Amino acid sequence: MILHTVNKSPFRHDALASCLRLIADGDALLLIEDGVYGVLEQQPLAGGIFDCCNRNIVVYALAADIRARGLQDKMPGHIIPCNDAGFVDLCCRADKTQSWY
Amino acid sequence: MSGKKILFVCRRSPYGTSLAREALEAILAGGVFEQNISVLFMDDGVFQLLPEQKPDSIESKNHLAMLQALPLYDVESLYVEDDSLRARGLDHQSLAPPLRQQIEALDNAAVKQLFAVQDTVVSF
């Protein structure tokens, strides 16, 4: 299992687009820093994020970054909040990590 | 108000980079030196205006709290690009009170007009 992290907003950067092109079934996706703007329903790749559910790809968003940006009320049901300990756990469980920045 | 007409264009989200914070510091400095300041939030810059920002666990200063100080520095001409809001599923009501009462949403023609009347534009 590869853990993919994306730390850029999908509105101004291709990091999430490149990640979604290459993420494989069974991998995990963690949105961090400005990447948490990827939880928004209106973002251009929201469909791609939603499709991860059908591909056995779990999508997480780092809770501290969600709270900092005031996105608490905008988390959809298919994205799971992740705390710092959960972040460490994901890294330990993954074979490899790919940072998209 | 005396001084040059300066437009600050804020296009970046808060916290991810230092640009939003640096813009705000430049704007407040402009206010202190009594320049004729306007601020336009557009693209991901509109995210600076969202309510309920709680950055304590990322060990950052609250960007919204600093923005709320703008009127105290006589920086009152605040604008947001309507197209940027709608592209992000937001509208004027999504913005943080009470600051949103100071912020005017501009359509495309009005944004172009805002640029046209300035002496200088500074982009962050």
Side-chain angles (χ1 to χ4, degrees):
Chain A
M1 181 271 271
I2 300 180
L3 172 64
H4 298 257
T5 66
V6 172
N7 80 336
K8 293 288 192 293
S9 162
F11 293 98
R12 65 170 308 273
H13 201 280
D14 61 1
L16 181 60
S18 292
C19 173
L20 290 176
R21 270 208 318 278
L22 298 177
I23 196 166
D25 295 10
D27 286 350
L29 170 57
L30 173 62
L31 304 173
I32 66 172
E33 296 169 17
D34 279 354
V36 298
Y37 290 113
V39 307
L40 294 174
E41 287 178 348
Q42 207 77 9
Q43 65 99 344
L45 297 165
I49 296 249
F50 187 78
D51 285 346
C52 289
C53 302
N54 299 329
R55 297 175 56 195
N56 193 26
I57 297 168
V58 186
V59 182
Y60 302 88
L62 200 59
D65 286 320
I66 288 279
R67 272 174 48 93
R69 290 158 180 76
L71 301 177
Q72 304 90 309
D73 295 336
K74 301 199 190 312
M75 281 281 280
H78 57 279
I79 299 183
I80 301 175
C82 175
N83 61 15
D84 290 348
F87 190 174
V88 172
D89 182 65
L90 281 171
C91 293
C92 292
R93 287 198 280 120
D95 304 307
K96 298 180 274 291
T97 307
Q98 165 61 14
S99 280
W100 299 94
Y101 66 93
Chain B
M1 188 181 290
S2 60
K4 295 180 77 163
K5 292 171 78 75
I6 308 176
L7 172 66
F8 287 86
V9 182
C10 298
R11 299 180 54 234
R12 307 298 272 264
S13 52
Y15 309 114
T17 69
S18 60
L19 283 165
R21 178 66 188 277
E22 288 173 16
L24 198 41
E25 291 178 356
I27 291 164
L28 292 173
V32 164
F33 286 96
E34 296 182 345
Q35 299 304 295
N36 190 342
I37 309 268
S38 300
V39 184
L40 171 67
F41 297 92
M42 61 174 288
D43 294 333
D44 277 3
V46 306
F47 289 136
Q48 295 183 37
L49 307 171
L50 289 182
E52 301 296 321
Q53 293 179 30
K54 301 184 198 300
D56 40 300
S57 30
I58 62 168
E59 293 175 11
S60 184
K61 291 189 185 175
N62 190 315
H63 186 73
L64 182 62
M66 213 165 146
L67 277 179
Q68 307 272 21
L70 286 176
L72 297 174
Y73 284 72
D74 291 329
V75 179
E76 291 167 337
S77 301
L78 307 178
Y79 304 99
V80 64
E81 190 202 24
D82 199 50
D83 288 343
S84 294
L85 284 177
R86 284 196 272 105
R88 289 158 180 77
L90 304 171
D91 58 23
H92 193 264
Q93 286 302 112
S94 311
L95 308 182
L99 191 64
R100 71 167 173 244
Q101 283 146 302
Q102 290 284 151
I103 300 173
E104 187 180 346
L106 300 181
D107 64 19
N108 185 262
V111 172
K112 288 174 175 167
Q113 179 61 14
L114 180 66
F115 274 81
V117 301
Q118 306 300 320
D119 295 312
T120 306
V121 178
V122 185
S123 188
F124 285 87

PDB file of all heavy atoms in Angstrom, chain A residues 38-74:
ATOM      1  N   GLY A  38      -9.047  20.201  -0.940  1.00  0.00           N
ATOM      2  CA  GLY A  38      -9.564  19.137  -1.795  1.00  0.00           C
ATOM      3  C   GLY A  38     -10.824  18.479  -1.251  1.00  0.00           C
ATOM      4  O   GLY A  38     -11.481  17.729  -1.984  1.00  0.00           O
ATOM      5  N   VAL A  39     -11.218  18.747  -0.004  1.00  0.00           N
ATOM      6  CA  VAL A  39     -12.451  18.147   0.520  1.00  0.00           C
ATOM      7  C   VAL A  39     -13.683  18.855  -0.014  1.00  0.00           C
ATOM      8  O   VAL A  39     -14.799  18.328   0.074  1.00  0.00           O
ATOM      9  CB  VAL A  39     -12.507  18.142   2.080  1.00  0.00           C
ATOM     10  CG1 VAL A  39     -11.262  17.518   2.663  1.00  0.00           C
ATOM     11  CG2 VAL A  39     -12.765  19.508   2.652  1.00  0.00           C
ATOM     12  N   LEU A  40     -13.514  20.046  -0.580  1.00  0.00           N
ATOM     13  CA  LEU A  40     -14.675  20.837  -0.995  1.00  0.00           C
ATOM     14  C   LEU A  40     -15.399  20.177  -2.162  1.00  0.00           C
ATOM     15  O   LEU A  40     -14.779  19.725  -3.121  1.00  0.00           O
ATOM     16  CB  LEU A  40     -14.243  22.257  -1.385  1.00  0.00           C
ATOM     17  CG  LEU A  40     -13.691  23.114  -0.241  1.00  0.00           C
ATOM     18  CD1 LEU A  40     -13.157  24.437  -0.760  1.00  0.00           C
ATOM     19  CD2 LEU A  40     -14.776  23.368   0.790  1.00  0.00           C
ATOM     20  N   GLU A  41     -16.725  20.166  -2.095  1.00  0.00           N
ATOM     21  CA  GLU A  41     -17.546  19.551  -3.152  1.00  0.00           C
ATOM     22  C   GLU A  41     -17.363  20.255  -4.479  1.00  0.00           C
ATOM     23  O   GLU A  41     -17.564  19.663  -5.530  1.00  0.00           O
ATOM     24  CB  GLU A  41     -19.024  19.599  -2.742  1.00  0.00           C
ATOM     25  CG  GLU A  41     -19.360  18.618  -1.656  1.00  0.00           C
ATOM     26  CD  GLU A  41     -20.820  18.714  -1.240  1.00  0.00           C
ATOM     27  OE1 GLU A  41     -21.502  19.688  -1.638  1.00  0.00           O
ATOM     28  OE2 GLU A  41     -21.273  17.819  -0.520  1.00  0.00           O
ATOM     29  N   GLN A  42     -17.039  21.543  -4.409  1.00  0.00           N
ATOM     30  CA  GLN A  42     -16.979  22.338  -5.634  1.00  0.00           C
ATOM     31  C   GLN A  42     -15.625  22.244  -6.329  1.00  0.00           C
ATOM     32  O   GLN A  42     -15.438  22.776  -7.414  1.00  0.00           O
ATOM     33  CB  GLN A  42     -17.245  23.813  -5.272  1.00  0.00           C
ATOM     34  CG  GLN A  42     -17.831  24.631  -6.379  1.00  0.00           C
ATOM     35  CD  GLN A  42     -19.284  24.343  -6.558  1.00  0.00           C
ATOM     36  OE1 GLN A  42     -19.894  23.655  -5.745  1.00  0.00           O
ATOM     37  NE2 GLN A  42     -19.860  24.841  -7.632  1.00  0.00           N
ATOM     38  N   GLN A  43     -14.654  21.597  -5.704  1.00  0.00           N
ATOM     39  CA  GLN A  43     -13.335  21.618  -6.335  1.00  0.00           C
ATOM     40  C   GLN A  43     -13.379  20.746  -7.585  1.00  0.00           C
ATOM     41  O   GLN A  43     -14.108  19.766  -7.664  1.00  0.00           O
ATOM     42  CB  GLN A  43     -12.223  21.213  -5.330  1.00  0.00           C
ATOM     43  CG  GLN A  43     -12.268  19.802  -4.799  1.00  0.00           C
ATOM     44  CD  GLN A  43     -11.327  18.869  -5.514  1.00  0.00           C
ATOM     45  OE1 GLN A  43     -10.834  19.177  -6.602  1.00  0.00           O
ATOM     46  NE2 GLN A  43     -11.086  17.710  -4.931  1.00  0.00           N
ATOM     47  N   PRO A  44     -12.596  21.132  -8.590  1.00  0.00           N
ATOM     48  CA  PRO A  44     -12.733  20.505  -9.910  1.00  0.00           C
ATOM     49  C   PRO A  44     -12.513  18.992  -9.937  1.00  0.00           C
ATOM     50  O   PRO A  44     -12.989  18.324 -10.847  1.00  0.00           O
ATOM     51  CB  PRO A  44     -11.682  21.231 -10.764  1.00  0.00           C
ATOM     52  CG  PRO A  44     -10.942  22.140  -9.873  1.00  0.00           C
ATOM     53  CD  PRO A  44     -11.634  22.231  -8.575  1.00  0.00           C
ATOM     54  N   LEU A  45     -11.812  18.457  -8.951  1.00  0.00           N
ATOM     55  CA  LEU A  45     -11.529  17.026  -8.938  1.00  0.00           C
ATOM     56  C   LEU A  45     -12.328  16.277  -7.863  1.00  0.00           C
ATOM     57  O   LEU A  45     -11.968  15.169  -7.469  1.00  0.00           O
ATOM     58  CB  LEU A  45     -10.024  16.801  -8.708  1.00  0.00           C
ATOM     59  CG  LEU A  45      -9.150  17.368  -9.819  1.00  0.00           C
ATOM     60  CD1 LEU A  45      -7.709  17.442  -9.375  1.00  0.00           C
ATOM     61  CD2 LEU A  45      -9.273  16.521 -11.067  1.00  0.00           C
ATOM     62  N   ALA A  46     -13.423  16.893  -7.418  1.00  0.00           N
ATOM     63  CA  ALA A  46     -14.216  16.265  -6.349  1.00  0.00           C
ATOM     64  C   ALA A  46     -14.709  14.888  -6.787  1.00  0.00           C
ATOM     65  O   ALA A  46     -14.777  13.958  -5.982  1.00  0.00           O
ATOM     66  CB  ALA A  46     -15.391  17.163  -5.964  1.00  0.00           C
ATOM     67  N   GLY A  47     -15.055  14.759  -8.082  1.00  0.00           N
ATOM     68  CA  GLY A  47     -15.518  13.469  -8.597  1.00  0.00           C
ATOM     69  C   GLY A  47     -14.439  12.405  -8.488  1.00  0.00           C
ATOM     70  O   GLY A  47     -14.708  11.250  -8.137  1.00  0.00           O
ATOM     71  N   GLY A  48     -13.218  12.786  -8.772  1.00  0.00           N
ATOM     72  CA  GLY A  48     -12.092  11.853  -8.685  1.00  0.00           C
ATOM     73  C   GLY A  48     -11.865  11.377  -7.258  1.00  0.00           C
ATOM     74  O   GLY A  48     -11.559  10.201  -7.021  1.00  0.00           O
ATOM     75  N   ILE A  49     -12.044  12.287  -6.304  1.00  0.00           N
ATOM     76  CA  ILE A  49     -11.908  11.920  -4.895  1.00  0.00           C
ATOM     77  C   ILE A  49     -13.034  10.954  -4.520  1.00  0.00           C
ATOM     78  O   ILE A  49     -12.819   9.935  -3.848  1.00  0.00           O
ATOM     79  CB  ILE A  49     -11.954  13.164  -3.999  1.00  0.00           C
ATOM     80  CG1 ILE A  49     -10.773  14.073  -4.284  1.00  0.00           C
ATOM     81  CG2 ILE A  49     -12.046  12.768  -2.542  1.00  0.00           C
ATOM     82  CD1 ILE A  49      -9.736  14.175  -3.217  1.00  0.00           C
ATOM     83  N   PHE A  50     -14.240  11.247  -4.941  1.00  0.00           N
ATOM     84  CA  PHE A  50     -15.382  10.398  -4.616  1.00  0.00           C
ATOM     85  C   PHE A  50     -15.206   9.007  -5.212  1.00  0.00           C
ATOM     86  O   PHE A  50     -15.548   7.995  -4.585  1.00  0.00           O
ATOM     87  CB  PHE A  50     -16.672  11.049  -5.104  1.00  0.00           C
ATOM     88  CG  PHE A  50     -17.903  10.319  -4.666  1.00  0.00           C
ATOM     89  CD1 PHE A  50     -18.374  10.466  -3.374  1.00  0.00           C
ATOM     90  CD2 PHE A  50     -18.568   9.467  -5.538  1.00  0.00           C
ATOM     91  CE1 PHE A  50     -19.506   9.782  -2.952  1.00  0.00           C
ATOM     92  CE2 PHE A  50     -19.702   8.789  -5.125  1.00  0.00           C
ATOM     93  CZ  PHE A  50     -20.165   8.937  -3.827  1.00  0.00           C
ATOM     94  N   ASP A  51     -14.650   8.944  -6.424  1.00  0.00           N
ATOM     95  CA  ASP A  51     -14.445   7.651  -7.094  1.00  0.00           C
ATOM     96  C   ASP A  51     -13.494   6.740  -6.328  1.00  0.00           C
ATOM     97  O   ASP A  51     -13.504   5.518  -6.539  1.00  0.00           O
ATOM     98  CB  ASP A  51     -13.872   7.863  -8.506  1.00  0.00           C
ATOM     99  CG  ASP A  51     -14.937   8.357  -9.467  1.00  0.00           C
ATOM    100  OD1 ASP A  51     -16.138   8.279  -9.108  1.00  0.00           O
ATOM    101  OD2 ASP A  51     -14.574   8.835 -10.563  1.00  0.00           O
ATOM    102  N   CYS A  52     -12.652   7.322  -5.478  1.00  0.00           N
ATOM    103  CA  CYS A  52     -11.714   6.506  -4.703  1.00  0.00           C
ATOM    104  C   CYS A  52     -12.450   5.462  -3.867  1.00  0.00           C
ATOM    105  O   CYS A  52     -11.937   4.363  -3.631  1.00  0.00           O
ATOM    106  CB  CYS A  52     -10.839   7.389  -3.814  1.00  0.00           C
ATOM    107  SG  CYS A  52      -9.616   8.349  -4.745  1.00  0.00           S
ATOM    108  N   CYS A  53     -13.671   5.818  -3.425  1.00  0.00           N
ATOM    109  CA  CYS A  53     -14.450   4.877  -2.605  1.00  0.00           C
ATOM    110  C   CYS A  53     -14.704   3.582  -3.353  1.00  0.00           C
ATOM    111  O   CYS A  53     -14.725   2.499  -2.760  1.00  0.00           O
ATOM    112  CB  CYS A  53     -15.803   5.476  -2.232  1.00  0.00           C
ATOM    113  SG  CYS A  53     -15.691   7.004  -1.338  1.00  0.00           S
ATOM    114  N   ASN A  54     -14.911   3.688  -4.677  1.00  0.00           N
ATOM    115  CA  ASN A  54     -15.201   2.502  -5.486  1.00  0.00           C
ATOM    116  C   ASN A  54     -13.950   1.701  -5.807  1.00  0.00           C
ATOM    117  O   ASN A  54     -14.038   0.637  -6.419  1.00  0.00           O
ATOM    118  CB  ASN A  54     -15.871   2.903  -6.807  1.00  0.00           C
ATOM    119  CG  ASN A  54     -17.190   3.609  -6.570  1.00  0.00           C
ATOM    120  OD1 ASN A  54     -17.874   3.318  -5.590  1.00  0.00           O
ATOM    121  ND2 ASN A  54     -17.530   4.540  -7.440  1.00  0.00           N
ATOM    122  N   ARG A  55     -12.806   2.241  -5.425  1.00  0.00           N
ATOM    123  CA  ARG A  55     -11.545   1.612  -5.815  1.00  0.00           C
ATOM    124  C   ARG A  55     -10.764   1.149  -4.593  1.00  0.00           C
ATOM    125  O   ARG A  55      -9.562   0.946  -4.652  1.00  0.00           O
ATOM    126  CB  ARG A  55     -10.715   2.618  -6.615  1.00  0.00           C
ATOM    127  CG  ARG A  55     -11.381   3.049  -7.917  1.00  0.00           C
ATOM    128  CD  ARG A  55     -10.578   4.130  -8.583  1.00  0.00           C
ATOM    129  NE  ARG A  55      -9.207   3.671  -8.786  1.00  0.00           N
ATOM    130  CZ  ARG A  55      -8.179   4.477  -9.080  1.00  0.00           C
ATOM    131  NH1 ARG A  55      -8.386   5.786  -9.184  1.00  0.00           N
ATOM    132  NH2 ARG A  55      -6.976   3.999  -9.237  1.00  0.00           N
ATOM    133  N   ASN A  56     -11.425   1.012  -3.479  1.00  0.00           N
ATOM    134  CA  ASN A  56     -10.745   0.566  -2.269  1.00  0.00           C
ATOM    135  C   ASN A  56      -9.587   1.497  -1.897  1.00  0.00           C
ATOM    136  O   ASN A  56      -8.536   1.054  -1.450  1.00  0.00           O
ATOM    137  CB  ASN A  56     -10.232  -0.877  -2.444  1.00  0.00           C
ATOM    138  CG  ASN A  56      -9.802  -1.488  -1.129  1.00  0.00           C
ATOM    139  OD1 ASN A  56     -10.279  -1.106  -0.073  1.00  0.00           O
ATOM    140  ND2 ASN A  56      -8.850  -2.415  -1.205  1.00  0.00           N
ATOM    141  N   ILE A  57      -9.769   2.797  -2.137  1.00  0.00           N
ATOM    142  CA  ILE A  57      -8.778   3.801  -1.744  1.00  0.00           C
ATOM    143  C   ILE A  57      -9.420   4.664  -0.661  1.00  0.00           C
ATOM    144  O   ILE A  57     -10.438   5.302  -0.902  1.00  0.00           O
ATOM    145  CB  ILE A  57      -8.386   4.702  -2.935  1.00  0.00           C
ATOM    146  CG1 ILE A  57      -7.713   3.881  -4.035  1.00  0.00           C
ATOM    147  CG2 ILE A  57      -7.477   5.842  -2.474  1.00  0.00           C
ATOM    148  CD1 ILE A  57      -7.576   4.638  -5.346  1.00  0.00           C
ATOM    149  N   VAL A  58      -8.834   4.647   0.523  1.00  0.00           N
ATOM    150  CA  VAL A  58      -9.386   5.459   1.605  1.00  0.00           C
ATOM    151  C   VAL A  58      -8.779   6.859   1.523  1.00  0.00           C
ATOM    152  O   VAL A  58      -7.559   7.001   1.366  1.00  0.00           O
ATOM    153  CB  VAL A  58      -9.093   4.841   2.986  1.00  0.00           C
ATOM    154  CG1 VAL A  58      -9.815   5.631   4.076  1.00  0.00           C
ATOM    155  CG2 VAL A  58      -9.532   3.376   3.012  1.00  0.00           C
ATOM    156  N   VAL A  59      -9.647   7.878   1.625  1.00  0.00           N
ATOM    157  CA  VAL A  59      -9.198   9.273   1.543  1.00  0.00           C
ATOM    158  C   VAL A  59      -9.317   9.903   2.927  1.00  0.00           C
ATOM    159  O   VAL A  59     -10.383   9.877   3.542  1.00  0.00           O
ATOM    160  CB  VAL A  59     -10.032  10.072   0.527  1.00  0.00           C
ATOM    161  CG1 VAL A  59      -9.506  11.513   0.424  1.00  0.00           C
ATOM    162  CG2 VAL A  59      -9.994   9.403  -0.839  1.00  0.00           C
ATOM    163  N   TYR A  60      -8.212  10.439   3.410  1.00  0.00           N
ATOM    164  CA  TYR A  60      -8.157  11.090   4.719  1.00  0.00           C
ATOM    165  C   TYR A  60      -7.832  12.574   4.549  1.00  0.00           C
ATOM    166  O   TYR A  60      -7.234  12.978   3.548  1.00  0.00           O
ATOM    167  CB  TYR A  60      -7.051  10.480   5.582  1.00  0.00           C
ATOM    168  CG  TYR A  60      -7.161   8.990   5.825  1.00  0.00           C
ATOM    169  CD1 TYR A  60      -6.594   8.071   4.945  1.00  0.00           C
ATOM    170  CD2 TYR A  60      -7.800   8.497   6.959  1.00  0.00           C
ATOM    171  CE1 TYR A  60      -6.665   6.712   5.174  1.00  0.00           C
ATOM    172  CE2 TYR A  60      -7.876   7.132   7.209  1.00  0.00           C
ATOM    173  CZ  TYR A  60      -7.305   6.246   6.304  1.00  0.00           C
ATOM    174  OH  TYR A  60      -7.385   4.892   6.546  1.00  0.00           O
ATOM    175  N   ALA A  61      -8.193  13.367   5.558  1.00  0.00           N
ATOM    176  CA  ALA A  61      -7.765  14.772   5.610  1.00  0.00           C
ATOM    177  C   ALA A  61      -7.262  15.044   7.018  1.00  0.00           C
ATOM    178  O   ALA A  61      -7.883  14.629   7.999  1.00  0.00           O
ATOM    179  CB  ALA A  61      -8.929  15.701   5.272  1.00  0.00           C
ATOM    180  N   LEU A  62      -6.118  15.739   7.117  1.00  0.00           N
ATOM    181  CA  LEU A  62      -5.521  15.996   8.426  1.00  0.00           C
ATOM    182  C   LEU A  62      -6.370  17.006   9.197  1.00  0.00           C
ATOM    183  O   LEU A  62      -6.602  18.129   8.746  1.00  0.00           O
ATOM    184  CB  LEU A  62      -4.095  16.510   8.246  1.00  0.00           C
ATOM    185  CG  LEU A  62      -3.168  16.373   9.458  1.00  0.00           C
ATOM    186  CD1 LEU A  62      -3.034  14.916   9.903  1.00  0.00           C
ATOM    187  CD2 LEU A  62      -1.790  16.945   9.136  1.00  0.00           C
ATOM    188  N   ALA A  63      -6.862  16.556  10.360  1.00  0.00           N
ATOM    189  CA  ALA A  63      -7.858  17.337  11.103  1.00  0.00           C
ATOM    190  C   ALA A  63      -7.336  18.715  11.516  1.00  0.00           C
ATOM    191  O   ALA A  63      -8.066  19.703  11.467  1.00  0.00           O
ATOM    192  CB  ALA A  63      -8.313  16.555  12.335  1.00  0.00           C
ATOM    193  N   ALA A  64      -6.069  18.784  11.917  1.00  0.00           N
ATOM    194  CA  ALA A  64      -5.525  20.078  12.362  1.00  0.00           C
ATOM    195  C   ALA A  64      -5.553  21.098  11.228  1.00  0.00           C
ATOM    196  O   ALA A  64      -5.826  22.284  11.443  1.00  0.00           O
ATOM    197  CB  ALA A  64      -4.097  19.899  12.879  1.00  0.00           C
ATOM    198  N   ASP A  65      -5.284  20.638  10.002  1.00  0.00           N
ATOM    199  CA  ASP A  65      -5.279  21.553   8.857  1.00  0.00           C
ATOM    200  C   ASP A  65      -6.705  21.933   8.453  1.00  0.00           C
ATOM    201  O   ASP A  65      -6.967  23.049   7.998  1.00  0.00           O
ATOM    202  CB  ASP A  65      -4.536  20.926   7.672  1.00  0.00           C
ATOM    203  CG  ASP A  65      -3.029  20.917   7.881  1.00  0.00           C
ATOM    204  OD1 ASP A  65      -2.498  21.919   8.417  1.00  0.00           O
ATOM    205  OD2 ASP A  65      -2.366  19.922   7.514  1.00  0.00           O
ATOM    206  N   ILE A  66      -7.663  20.984   8.622  1.00  0.00           N
ATOM    207  CA  ILE A  66      -9.074  21.291   8.369  1.00  0.00           C
ATOM    208  C   ILE A  66      -9.537  22.382   9.338  1.00  0.00           C
ATOM    209  O   ILE A  66     -10.179  23.367   8.944  1.00  0.00           O
ATOM    210  CB  ILE A  66      -9.938  20.022   8.530  1.00  0.00           C
ATOM    211  CG1 ILE A  66      -9.708  19.042   7.381  1.00  0.00           C
ATOM    212  CG2 ILE A  66     -11.410  20.372   8.659  1.00  0.00           C
ATOM    213  CD1 ILE A  66     -10.447  19.343   6.103  1.00  0.00           C
ATOM    214  N   ARG A  67      -9.225  22.199  10.617  1.00  0.00           N
ATOM    215  CA  ARG A  67      -9.662  23.164  11.648  1.00  0.00           C
ATOM    216  C   ARG A  67      -9.040  24.535  11.432  1.00  0.00           C
ATOM    217  O   ARG A  67      -9.703  25.560  11.571  1.00  0.00           O
ATOM    218  CB  ARG A  67      -9.269  22.653  13.040  1.00  0.00           C
ATOM    219  CG  ARG A  67     -10.285  21.756  13.706  1.00  0.00           C
ATOM    220  CD  ARG A  67      -9.706  21.209  15.008  1.00  0.00           C
ATOM    221  NE  ARG A  67      -9.102  22.252  15.830  1.00  0.00           N
ATOM    222  CZ  ARG A  67      -9.740  22.912  16.789  1.00  0.00           C
ATOM    223  NH1 ARG A  67     -11.004  22.655  17.041  1.00  0.00           N
ATOM    224  NH2 ARG A  67      -9.120  23.828  17.503  1.00  0.00           N
ATOM    225  N   ALA A  68      -7.748  24.543  11.094  1.00  0.00           N
ATOM    226  CA  ALA A  68      -7.050  25.825  10.916  1.00  0.00           C
ATOM    227  C   ALA A  68      -7.750  26.662   9.854  1.00  0.00           C
ATOM    228  O   ALA A  68      -7.885  27.880   9.990  1.00  0.00           O
ATOM    229  CB  ALA A  68      -5.597  25.585  10.531  1.00  0.00           C
ATOM    230  N   ARG A  69      -8.210  25.990   8.789  1.00  0.00           N
ATOM    231  CA  ARG A  69      -8.770  26.715   7.636  1.00  0.00           C
ATOM    232  C   ARG A  69     -10.272  26.916   7.735  1.00  0.00           C
ATOM    233  O   ARG A  69     -10.880  27.463   6.825  1.00  0.00           O
ATOM    234  CB  ARG A  69      -8.403  25.986   6.335  1.00  0.00           C
ATOM    235  CG  ARG A  69      -6.913  26.104   6.022  1.00  0.00           C
ATOM    236  CD  ARG A  69      -6.413  25.012   5.102  1.00  0.00           C
ATOM    237  NE  ARG A  69      -4.991  25.162   4.831  1.00  0.00           N
ATOM    238  CZ  ARG A  69      -4.018  24.846   5.680  1.00  0.00           C
ATOM    239  NH1 ARG A  69      -4.307  24.364   6.878  1.00  0.00           N
ATOM    240  NH2 ARG A  69      -2.747  25.015   5.339  1.00  0.00           N
ATOM    241  N   GLY A  70     -10.885  26.459   8.810  1.00  0.00           N
ATOM    242  CA  GLY A  70     -12.323  26.670   8.988  1.00  0.00           C
ATOM    243  C   GLY A  70     -13.163  25.789   8.087  1.00  0.00           C
ATOM    244  O   GLY A  70     -14.273  26.149   7.710  1.00  0.00           O
ATOM    245  N   LEU A  71     -12.673  24.590   7.765  1.00  0.00           N
ATOM    246  CA  LEU A  71     -13.403  23.703   6.849  1.00  0.00           C
ATOM    247  C   LEU A  71     -14.160  22.601   7.588  1.00  0.00           C
ATOM    248  O   LEU A  71     -14.617  21.641   6.968  1.00  0.00           O
ATOM    249  CB  LEU A  71     -12.417  23.065   5.854  1.00  0.00           C
ATOM    250  CG  LEU A  71     -11.623  24.019   4.977  1.00  0.00           C
ATOM    251  CD1 LEU A  71     -10.634  23.257   4.103  1.00  0.00           C
ATOM    252  CD2 LEU A  71     -12.547  24.841   4.090  1.00  0.00           C
ATOM    253  N   GLN A  72     -14.304  22.738   8.918  1.00  0.00           N
ATOM    254  CA  GLN A  72     -14.909  21.667   9.717  1.00  0.00           C
ATOM    255  C   GLN A  72     -16.286  21.268   9.212  1.00  0.00           C
ATOM    256  O   GLN A  72     -16.655  20.091   9.219  1.00  0.00           O
ATOM    257  CB  GLN A  72     -15.058  22.087  11.193  1.00  0.00           C
ATOM    258  CG  GLN A  72     -13.787  22.529  11.886  1.00  0.00           C
ATOM    259  CD  GLN A  72     -13.536  24.031  11.756  1.00  0.00           C
ATOM    260  OE1 GLN A  72     -13.578  24.574  10.653  1.00  0.00           O
ATOM    261  NE2 GLN A  72     -13.267  24.717  12.854  1.00  0.00           N
ATOM    262  N   ASP A  73     -17.073  22.260   8.786  1.00  0.00           N
ATOM    263  CA  ASP A  73     -18.449  21.972   8.371  1.00  0.00           C
ATOM    264  C   ASP A  73     -18.539  21.539   6.919  1.00  0.00           C
ATOM    265  O   ASP A  73     -19.642  21.318   6.418  1.00  0.00           O
ATOM    266  CB  ASP A  73     -19.324  23.220   8.551  1.00  0.00           C
ATOM    267  CG  ASP A  73     -19.435  23.600  10.016  1.00  0.00           C
ATOM    268  OD1 ASP A  73     -19.244  22.708  10.868  1.00  0.00           O
ATOM    269  OD2 ASP A  73     -19.692  24.775  10.304  1.00  0.00           O
ATOM    270  N   LYS A  74     -17.405  21.448   6.238  1.00  0.00           N
ATOM    271  CA  LYS A  74     -17.437  21.161   4.805  1.00  0.00           C
ATOM    272  C   LYS A  74     -16.866  19.778   4.492  1.00  0.00           C
ATOM    273  O   LYS A  74     -16.619  19.454   3.333  1.00  0.00           O
ATOM    274  CB  LYS A  74     -16.660  22.240   4.038  1.00  0.00           C
ATOM    275  CG  LYS A  74     -17.242  23.640   4.271  1.00  0.00           C
ATOM    276  CD  LYS A  74     -16.813  24.607   3.206  1.00  0.00           C
ATOM    277  CE  LYS A  74     -17.153  26.056   3.510  1.00  0.00           C
ATOM    278  NZ  LYS A  74     -18.523  26.320   3.945  1.00  0.00           N
TER     279      LYS A  74
END
